[in-house]
Amino acid sequence: MSRQRRRPWIVGVSGASGTPFAASVLRGLLDAGESVDLVVSRASRLTLLDETGIAFRDAHWREDLRSWLARGADGEPDTFAVRDGALERVRHWAAGDLAAGPSSGSYPAKGMLIVPASTACVAGVALGLSKDLLQRAASVTLKERRTLVVAVRETPLSGQTLKQMVALDEAGAVVLPASPAFYAGATHIQDLVDFVAGRVLDAAGVPHQLYRRWEGELGGGSRGRS
């Protein structure tokens, strides 16, 4: 019997503020038993350093990813346990590697999640540019009719960006603004981050327990805080 072929979710992290969203999505995918191909843009490394103090290095990506995933949205280190077995299901591709696996439509992938997505990233994907691996992988995902979720993290939005978001929607992408809701009974910044991450995973069809779902009863959020 042949070994089952690996089919990862590609996770692209652009330079927008919101690296805790990416960490929560990555933890959710790994907790669900999924494999992940990770692309961290050059701009996002500056954001990650600014928001967490973590320098993401190609030569030490596994060590840096562990620190990132263990960190809570409030900045506390070692908030989450990160298992070695989970990290073994992650493959990292350098953002400048346009010969990487995800750059080709023949590469087996389930789809792609861009979390967070900057307006520059939105523009590049909407216009079909391939200036780096993140944009190229997104273009491949669209042309192969695979799931592409674009978690836009920017405010306010210009008219040009809104037009580009409509173009992404028409191309088949799920445009998902990083807008947390409060009906789930959030009591901590991590709850708000996990709500957005959970909605990203919902769009990808990945099961999770990151937030309390609406069940048609008023007051559920306030009961969650009692």
Side-chain angles (χ1 to χ4, degrees):
M1 181 179 295
S2 61
R3 186 172 58 184
Q4 185 176 7
R5 196 175 197 183
R6 181 179 182 272
R7 290 188 66 230
W9 283 99
I10 302 167
V11 176
V13 186
S14 81
S17 176
T19 53
F21 293 129
S24 183
V25 166
L26 287 165
R27 286 192 298 266
L29 288 170
L30 295 177
D31 287 345
E34 300 285 349
S35 295
V36 172
D37 275 21
L38 180 62
V39 182
V40 181
S41 75
R42 291 186 177 92
S44 70
R45 298 175 192 223
L46 296 176
T47 307
L48 181 64
L49 181 62
D50 183 55
E51 294 183 344
T52 69
I54 297 171
F56 194 90
R57 304 159 293 176
D58 287 335
H60 303 280
W61 70 267
R62 195 178 298 272
E63 173 187 341
D64 298 335
L65 178 61
R66 180 189 295 277
S67 297
W68 182 14
L69 297 187
R71 195 178 191 87
D74 59 358
E76 287 296 318
D78 302 320
T79 299
F80 298 96
V82 182
R83 301 186 302 274
D84 289 337
L87 289 181
E88 289 175 359
R89 287 185 273 112
V90 180
R91 184 171 186 179
H92 167 256
W93 300 95
D97 185 3
L98 290 176
S103 68
S104 172
S106 66
Y107 184 76
K110 291 185 176 181
M112 183 174 185
L113 316 176
I114 304 178
V115 188
S118 65
T119 54
C121 175
V122 168
V125 177
L127 294 173
L129 304 181
S130 295
K131 74 168 188 176
D132 60 11
L133 180 59
L134 193 158
Q135 290 185 7
R136 172 58 186 168
S139 295
V140 167
T141 302
L142 286 176
K143 79 180 184 69
E144 296 296 326
R145 303 296 190 266
R146 296 169 184 160
T147 298
L148 174 64
V149 182
V150 183
V152 184
R153 216 308 307 159
E154 188 70 66
T155 191
L157 295 168
S158 70
Q160 192 60 43
T161 297
L162 290 170
K163 292 176 183 177
Q164 291 158 352
M165 290 165 63
V166 170
L168 286 177
D169 176 78
E170 292 176 344
V174 176
V175 179
L176 194 152
S179 303
F182 294 84
Y183 62 77
T187 59
H188 190 276
I189 186 174
Q190 188 68 53
D191 299 325
L192 299 176
V193 167
D194 286 347
F195 180 88
V196 172
R199 295 299 287 149
V200 171
L201 296 178
D202 286 345
V206 176
H208 66 87
Q209 296 181 340
L210 287 175
Y211 68 89
R212 186 188 70 84
R213 298 184 181 277
W214 175 252
E215 296 178 347
E217 296 182 7
L218 295 177
S222 61
R223 287 197 297 272
R225 292 190 293 270
S226 62

